[in-house]
Amino acid sequence: MKPHLASILTSNTRLVVRRRALEAKHQVLNRPRVVHYFHDVSDPYCHLTAQVLQQFRDTYDVELRPHLISGPPAEALPDPAAHRQNAIKDAARLARKLGLSPPEGSVPDEAFIAVAEKQMAAELTNDSFVNNVRDISEDLWSGKGFSSSDHPLPAALIEDGDQQLSDLGHYLGGTFHYDDEWYWGVDRLHYLENRLLHAGLGSGSSPIMSLPSVQLGQEKSQDQEIEFCYSFRSPYSYLAFDRAVDLARHYNARLVLRPVLPMLMRGLPVPPPKSSYILYDCMREARRLGIPFERICVPLGKGVERGYALLDYAEAQEKLPEFCSAFLHGVWSEGLNAATDRGLRTIIENAGLDWQSAKPHVSSDRWGDRVAVNQDRLQEIGLWGVPSFRVAGESVWGQDRLWAVEDLLI
């Protein structure tokens, strides 16, 4: 992606102007504001969203239009088994943090899922869906299960939901769609709420959902370690990197840096809808966190390889965190092309290193063994994507889960 194009796509001014135009169109045409919600009965994150749908519907002057879906396509999940295991643990952790009912145990039996789908489908086209989806989901995810259901199989409704999800441009359940923008799960619901509140469509003054955050409480001095897997091509890794360094420093924890190859360079699929959502989500997360994210020159192939070739050099100079930070800032906010000497030199100098002494290492291929070990470790801890963390025997995935890393440290 060219830096000038990225600046246009991530422009907050462009976003604000576009939203105003859409809201004005609603008013002129006197048409209802429709929020589409996509529910996957077998998704633990949907169990969390099911618990807030009624309050959301009662708080905002919008038409909440639910859809049942079958789940994400295979190409959207590089490691379905690992994704499923992590989703249940992560959703349970998030639920406890937010005061919601967590999913219990493992993925429910397929027969119970089918019964839950029948019950939800029977109420999908009327207001009772929002009123009852929480109870049905609670029965399913609490391990109670179901005996049977007299309702017909909802295959056609689910196929329709899958098609609408695809047509609108997403791939996950637990997602909300409003005026061409997406909000995944209770994690991002506050963004939608703030938008609706700003448009005068809410009865409250603040969102009903808020994202947990790092608190940086009392410093600890006991022996602790944070393993941090990241990629130079991952914008989420960029958003996490400096914050992870600061978190480790605050709690006097050893930060073990484990760079891995980007998913595309590991042969893992990244469908276009997923790439688009990641860019948009990183844009708003960066804005919320006060992290620059505009002039982007996405590193892939040669750019990543040249950066990784300098890992050993930077570590020998005791500047590994500084180099990784400078690289991530350079490609995700300064438009630096790491595939060129000019771009990489600026990155090296921004890290407080000397380009002339670093340059001979750029062609090294020794980084491959280091990265391979890290990728094996990533798989060993039950994860596949980045940024990922391992602390106190627990695995945590996501730049928006640093609060969970902190909880494990204290």
Side-chain angles (χ1 to χ4, degrees), residues 47-122:
H47 176 57
L48 273 57
T49 51
Q51 298 174 55
V52 302
L53 287 181
Q54 184 173 4
Q55 187 178 4
F56 176 84
R57 194 265 319 265
D58 294 344
T59 302
Y60 298 99
D61 185 19
V62 297
E63 177 188 339
L64 183 60
R65 191 174 297 173
H67 308 270
L68 285 181
I69 62 170
S70 61
E75 62 268 20
L77 300 180
D79 191 334
H83 180 274
R84 189 179 303 112
Q85 277 193 331
N86 178 74
I88 293 175
K89 291 180 181 178
D90 182 57
R93 182 186 290 130
L94 180 60
R96 289 189 290 268
K97 194 74 172 179
L98 296 176
L100 300 174
S101 173
E104 303 289 347
S106 58
V107 175
D109 185 272
E110 288 188 9
F112 293 154
I113 290 174
V115 175
E117 286 178 336
K118 291 179 182 180
Q119 292 185 356
M120 290 185 187

Side-chain angles (χ1 to χ4, degrees), residues 351-370:
L353 294 164
D354 178 67
W355 171 244
Q356 293 305 318
S357 62
K359 189 175 181 180
H361 299 274
V362 171
S363 59
S364 171
D365 60 1
R366 292 176 56 192
W367 60 269
D369 291 338
R370 177 185 193 139

Side-chain angles (χ1 to χ4, degrees), residues 9 25 27-28 81-82 100 108 132 143 164 182 197 295 328-329 336 353 390 395:
L9 293 177
K25 193 172 183 179
Q27 293 177 6
V28 170
L100 300 174
N132 296 321
Q164 291 212 41
W182 286 97
L197 288 170
R295 300 185 66 244
L328 289 163
H329 275 274
L336 298 179
L353 294 164
R390 183 73 173 179
S395 300

Side-chain angles (χ1 to χ4, degrees), residues 30-47:
N30 193 29
R31 65 186 184 187
R33 276 79 165 181
V34 177
V35 173
H36 294 271
Y37 167 69
F38 295 87
H39 192 86
D40 172 6
V41 174
S42 66
D43 185 342
Y45 294 111
C46 288
H47 176 57

